[in-house]
Amino acid sequence: LIPLRDVVIFPSMATAILVGRQPSVNAVERAIKTDKNLVVVTQRNASVNEPGPEDLFLVGTVVKIFHHLNLPDGTIKVMLEGVSRARIHEYFEEDNYFAARIEELVVDNRDSRELEALMRRVEYLFTDYVRMNPRLPNEVLLSLQSIEDRSVLADTIAAHLLVHNDEKQRLLEAFDVEERLMALHRILSEELQLLRVEKD
């Protein structure tokens, strides 16, 4: 297990992180030697240097290491791909790294016309959000075009939001797709309002 300071990683999200704290380096090295799987969990407070179980959220993400690079200063650059949500049942220390007993969560991806309509509204709002936000490249929208799975689409949008990690953590903990899409609809509506005020 790796505690993350300032990022929430979602399933289906590919990202690079720098791993420098020794327990996390040990965890990465252990994973590389075995099945290349880790669980990543965001810290409640990024300023805590040596987090314990009480400093970590209880929902994280199972990730697969698909590339790593050992740097001269002892840190490791790791390319990760999110696999699934995970509920943490128990944290423990093992051979100088964090480990956890987890339950991988299967997302309810039921189908309905209402859910389809909600997904389209969220896509529409996100398109406006990207176009109005200079910090997000328009290429982000291209990545959505080939996604048909609602859960993957919701997570891809959530990963690109420029909002506080607490908000992203709540989205990670929204296991029900409808709940997650409704939360995204609310967040995007609020963010667009703020962006319009800034432009005025």
Side-chain angles (χ1 to χ4, degrees):
L1 177 140
I2 293 182
L4 301 174
R5 280 184 195 272
D6 53 7
V7 65
V8 176
I9 295 179
F10 289 86
S12 307
M13 174 182 169
T15 190
I17 62 169
L18 277 176
V19 179
R21 292 182 285 193
Q22 197 56 51
S24 295
V25 169
N26 296 343
V28 168
E29 289 174 344
R30 168 72 178 163
I32 289 166
K33 288 175 186 170
T34 53
D35 58 5
K36 297 194 174 176
N37 284 333
L38 290 164
V39 61
V40 291
V41 184
T42 303
Q43 292 181 201
R44 295 177 187 276
N45 182 346
S47 66
V48 176
N49 287 322
E50 296 181 12
E54 68 283 356
D55 300 306
L56 305 175
F57 287 105
L58 292 175
V59 173
T61 304
V62 174
V63 296
K64 173 78 80 175
I65 299 171
F66 62 89
H67 184 68
H68 69 279
L69 179 66
N70 292 301
L71 300 174
D73 62 359
T75 61
I76 307 178
K77 186 176 184 179
V78 191
M79 291 293 293
L80 305 172
E81 183 164 21
V83 176
S84 64
R85 284 168 167 73
R87 192 193 307 277
I88 314 299
H89 287 288
E90 182 186 6
Y91 287 110
F92 51 92
E93 265 189 81
E94 192 169 303
D95 297 332
N96 300 317
Y97 62 86
F98 272 125
R101 187 170 60 82
I102 67 164
E103 170 194 359
E104 284 192 72
L105 297 161
V106 178
V107 173
D108 176 11
N109 214 357
R110 67 191 181 282
D111 197 16
S112 73
R113 263 187 270 182
E114 291 81 6
L115 208 52
E116 178 71 20
L118 177 58
M119 185 179 82
R120 294 295 162 225
R121 287 201 302 275
V122 168
E123 276 189 282
Y124 179 79
L125 288 171
F126 184 65
T127 299
D128 276 357
Y129 178 72
V130 171
R131 286 177 177 159
M132 290 184 70
N133 203 314
R135 291 187 291 164
L136 287 172
N138 282 331
E139 288 76 21
V140 168
L141 298 174
L142 296 176
S143 67
L144 299 184
Q145 291 177 2
S146 59
I147 301 174
E148 294 181 6
D149 184 293
R150 288 187 187 89
S151 183
V152 173
L153 183 86
D155 284 343
T156 303
I157 290 173
H160 284 100
L161 292 178
L162 302 173
V163 295
H164 197 274
N165 277 339
D166 284 351
E167 195 82 85
K168 289 193 172 187
Q169 181 67 29
R170 281 192 284 274
L171 290 166
L172 185 67
E173 293 177 9
F175 310 132
D176 179 81
V177 176
E178 184 176 9
E179 181 190 342
R180 204 175 329 140
L181 285 169
M182 286 176 71
L184 283 169
H185 191 284
R186 174 187 59 77
I187 293 166
L188 286 165
S189 298
E190 290 171 357
E191 290 294 308
L192 280 167
Q193 240 179 341
L194 290 171
L195 286 168
R196 287 183 185 116
V197 168
E198 284 174 16
K199 284 193 180 297
D200 289 346

